[in-house]
Amino acid sequence: MSKRSATVLALVLALLAIAATTFFSVHLARRQGLEFEIGRVFGYARDVLRSSDIAADQFVNAVAMLEAHRSAQPCSDTIVAVMRGLSLISSNLKAVGYVAGDRLMCSSLGKFAEGLPLGPVDTITDRGVALRLDVALEFAGGKRFTVAERDGYAAIVPRDMAIDTTTRQPNVLLATFTPGTGELRSSRGAVKREWIDALGKGTETSFVDGTHLVAVVRSKQYANGAIAALPLANLERQVRASEMLLVPVGVVAGIVLALAILYFARMQLALPAILKVALRRHEFFVNYQPIVDLQTGRWVGAEALIRWRRHTGEMVRPDLFIPAAEDAGLIRLITARVIQLVTRDVAGLFERHAQFHIGINLSSEDLHDEATIERLRRLAADTRASAGNLVIEASERGLAEPQVAGAIVRELRASGLHVAIDDFGTGYSSLSYLERFEFDYLKIDKSFIDTIGTGAATSQVVLHIIEMAKALKLKIVAEGVETRAQADFLRERGVQYAQGWLYGKPMSCEELRAGLAAGNAATAG
Ligand code: G
Ligand code: G
Ligand code: MN
């Protein structure tokens, strides 16, 4: 990709980041607003229903109490006194009375000699309660009531009692209904009878109908239902309020993301130039991580790991700049520098520690370049390395063209270098590589070592890798060993070598030499 098109791509990505976070925050505001309003409309509907259910509860209690006092005279003074007591303790009932033949004969309000006509019953609920939905009581100034009746006993409730509970919200539509018949009992505002049908067999539902957000609920105990509806304009107001909060946050997040994209893109684009300068300024050095014998715990070798400390003092991780160097075609220069640094670092080492080895990572380009052979032969000569003192580490990704890489690997082995297949198991065709190339070591990737003792489904894989390496007579190095349990497991399975924080982190060449001088090295034999 050209620098120009990469810049354009980064810009497009940055703009997309802003657009996406903005879009997302608008969407989120809308959803939050809707959720809030749905909660509110259900709240109203449940309030209304609760009020109806309390009235029903109190009616049921009143009937039970009156049944207990039943006598030949249902309107005796004693009974009327009980009715008074009941109406006093029943917050949602206006009066409790006795009905005979569509007439209210007596009630907590007194006795009526001829009885007050109530009119015919409108509905009988499935629990056998007869409902008169719209009774005008003359002595109450023509105010309208609902009268519930069972076995002659009746409760008188103001028709709009349940829907009066939330009068402080003027633009809320409220209604009560009888679920069995789907009839509206009382309503405030333009409540539609069809809304009841939306409930079906369920106990609650919500939906948008034209200009309103509607909630319909039904009692699980009584033949009571309630409806609440809020104008959608409220929702819009709610959404705008959420948007005021979320969209600025989303836009800022988008801008931060966009800046991060641009920063990394610039960094990535500038990296080749920066790497060249870093090579010139000698900003690279090498750390060595010990590889130990799992039986004795002694050091048998070390892997050379490149480190980059910028002139600013900032350390850049190799997993960031190695891939960038590979992309920019600069990795061979880096490998050459590593070889140069190792030459200097290990001078005289193999004379004192004849069995010790140093591992050097090679990238794909190195393994497809004849010049690598010469460089490594010179390293072997300069460090007086014997066979096996130098090990090259090649990952599967590095062996992309097996013919070319295979010839180079053979040449290197012929010169006395040993070869390790690195990060084993993370590539695509580990097995075919094992057939094609002659390796000395197999390095099991840390990701498999991590699964040991976890019971994860993949924890079996490490056993298969070990068996396979044994069958191919490869020496095994387990990478990234961090716990004693992992080390014990590997030792018991016949793995000879390990590398990891349990034994040592990557260290400077001075520390490596000091450790060797202190007798950490495996002795010959
Ligand atoms: O320890 P560390 O974080 O350095 O290793 C990160 C990655 O960088 C590892 O996958 C390692 O193989 C790679 N790496 C470290 N040093 C070198 C090197 O000198 N050459 C190449 N090609 N890769 C290296
Ligand atoms: O070249 P390779 O990918 O094998 O490089 C080894 C990488 O693993 C390096 O980044 C090294 O720092 C890292 N490493 C080595 N031992 C451990 C360990 O015990 N734990 C963790 N987390 N990383 C390790
Ligand atoms: Mn390696």
Side-chain angles (χ1 to χ4, degrees):
M1 187 164 30
S2 77
K3 197 160 171 160
R4 197 187 152 73
S5 53
T7 311
V8 171
L9 181 65
L11 275 172
V12 168
L13 278 177
L15 287 176
L16 272 179
I18 296 179
T21 48
T22 307
F23 177 82
F24 179 70
S25 51
V26 168
H27 173 77
L28 201 66
R30 193 143 273 286
R31 230 185 50 185
Q32 268 194 357
L34 187 63
E35 267 167 26
F36 181 86
E37 282 295 290
I38 288 177
R40 222 157 66 95
V41 77
F42 266 124
Y44 286 129
R46 290 192 194 113
D47 274 353
V48 169
L49 185 64
R50 194 171 313 118
S51 188
S52 297
D53 275 2
I54 288 173
D57 260 340
Q58 293 173 348
F59 173 56
V60 168
N61 281 339
V63 171
M65 187 79 96
L66 290 165
E67 289 282 6
H69 286 84
R70 187 181 274 281
S71 66
Q73 268 293 336
C75 281
S76 69
D77 288 346
T78 333
I79 299 293
V80 170
V82 172
M83 286 174 179
R84 288 213 180 92
L86 285 169
S87 98
L88 203 60
I89 61 171
S90 304
S91 55
N92 286 20
L93 309 182
K94 265 275 136 57
V96 178
Y98 182 75
V99 176
D102 285 341
R103 281 170 178 269
L104 182 65
M105 304 309 295
C106 61
S107 79
S108 46
L109 302 167
K111 299 188 191 184
F112 309 99
E114 280 103 61
L116 284 181
L118 295 176
V121 166
D122 294 303
T123 317
I124 296 181
T125 72
D126 46 13
R127 295 171 158 252
V129 176
L131 292 176
R132 292 176 179 81
L133 296 177
D134 192 10
V135 177
L137 291 180
E138 240 170 80
F139 73 90
K143 227 182 130 101
R144 305 186 109 82
F145 296 87
T146 302
V147 178
E149 176 199 337
R150 201 172 76 193
D151 303 330
Y153 298 115
I156 300 173
V157 179
R159 219 171 82 90
D160 293 335
M161 185 270 305
I163 59 174
D164 271 348
T165 53
T166 43
T167 39
R168 58 205 144 90
Q169 280 290 330
N171 55 2
V172 187
L173 310 187
L174 295 174
T176 55
F177 64 93
T178 309
T181 61
E183 271 175 302
L184 284 177
R185 281 190 211 159
S186 63
S187 66
R188 194 174 84 200
V191 173
K192 295 186 192 160
R193 225 215 57 122
E194 304 92 82
W195 290 349
I196 298 170
D197 303 333
L199 194 57
K201 294 235 177 294
T203 53
E204 57 178 54
T205 186
S206 72
F207 51 91
V208 170
D209 178 26
T211 55
H212 283 81
L213 178 64
V214 183
V216 186
V217 298
R218 186 173 74 184
S219 170
K220 292 192 181 92
Q221 285 166 283
Y222 300 111
N224 290 331
I227 297 173
L230 292 172
L232 283 180
N234 288 14
L235 172 62
E236 288 309 320
R237 215 173 304 128
Q238 197 58 47
V239 167
R240 267 193 298 283
S242 287
E243 276 173 355
M244 294 285 276
L245 203 73
L246 286 174
V247 172
V249 174
V251 171
V252 168
I255 290 172
V256 169
L257 196 59
L259 288 177
I261 290 171
L262 291 176
Y263 174 80
F264 279 107
R266 239 187 63 144
M267 184 79 180
Q268 212 64 26
L269 289 171
L271 207 54
I274 298 174
L275 279 173
K276 277 186 202 157
V277 174
L279 279 166
R280 215 178 320 122
R281 288 191 183 155
H282 294 277
E283 292 180 356
F284 296 102
F285 60 100
V286 172
N287 273 174
Y288 297 86
Q289 186 177 30
I291 296 166
V292 304
D293 184 323
L294 273 166
Q295 292 291 344
T296 63
R298 296 191 161 235
W299 295 359
V300 297
E303 177 178 3
L305 292 161
I306 193 167
R307 294 293 178 257
W308 179 14
R309 182 184 293 116
R310 299 195 61 193
H311 58 280
T312 56
E314 173 197 10
M315 295 291 299
V316 187
R317 296 163 50 105
D319 18 0
L320 273 176
F321 71 83
I322 295 283
E326 287 173 341
D327 287 347
L330 290 173
I331 193 67
R332 276 175 299 176
L333 291 178
I334 298 225
T335 304
R337 174 59 51 87
V338 169
I339 291 173
Q340 195 182 18
L341 290 165
V342 169
T343 308
R344 194 193 64 194
D345 286 348
V346 308
L349 193 84
F350 300 136
E351 276 127 72
R352 248 163 287 156
H353 305 284
Q355 303 298 313
F356 202 71
H357 76 255
I358 294 290
I360 292 175
N361 289 289
L362 294 187
S363 285
S364 178
E365 274 197 55
D366 301 315
L367 289 161
H368 295 82
D369 179 7
E370 296 274 342
T372 304
I373 303 172
E374 194 38 48
R375 278 196 195 113
L376 287 167
R377 275 186 187 149
R378 192 153 348 107
L379 170 68
D382 290 349
T383 57
R384 300 173 194 259
S386 308
N389 282 147
L390 294 174
V391 177
I392 63 159
E393 299 196 2
S395 72
E396 295 155 51
R397 288 179 300 282
L399 304 168
E401 285 169 59
Q403 270 80 2
V404 184
I408 291 176
V409 165
R410 266 192 301 281
E411 284 279 324
L412 289 171
R413 290 190 82 239
S415 311
L417 279 84
H418 284 183
V419 181
I421 180 153
D422 203 0
D423 305 329
F424 185 82
T426 58
Y428 298 111
S429 48
S430 314
L431 293 176
S432 67
Y433 285 118
L434 288 182
E435 275 176 7
R436 279 211 186 111
F437 292 88
E438 288 184 17
F439 295 114
D440 303 279
Y441 293 90
L442 182 152
K443 298 189 81 171
I444 306 178
D445 192 69
K446 177 174 189 305
S447 56
F448 299 109
I449 305 305
D450 287 341
T451 66
I452 291 174
T454 59
T458 49
S459 65
Q460 294 297 311
V461 176
V462 70
L463 293 175
H464 296 301
I465 295 178
I466 292 168
E467 288 316 310
M468 206 166 50
K470 281 185 190 165
L472 292 163
K473 305 213 163 20
L474 297 176
K475 288 175 271 190
I476 307 170
V477 182
E479 289 194 285
V481 175
E482 292 182 344
T483 67
R484 196 135 306 278
Q486 291 169 340
D488 292 342
F489 178 96
L490 293 160
R491 191 184 311 107
E492 279 159 25
R493 271 36 170 217
V495 174
Q496 303 94 322
Y497 307 114
Q499 179 181 350
W501 293 356
L502 178 62
Y503 300 104
K505 291 195 174 181
M507 56 184 76
S508 70
C509 95
E510 289 78 19
E511 288 170 296
L512 182 80
R513 281 176 181 280
L516 286 172
N520 284 348
T523 41

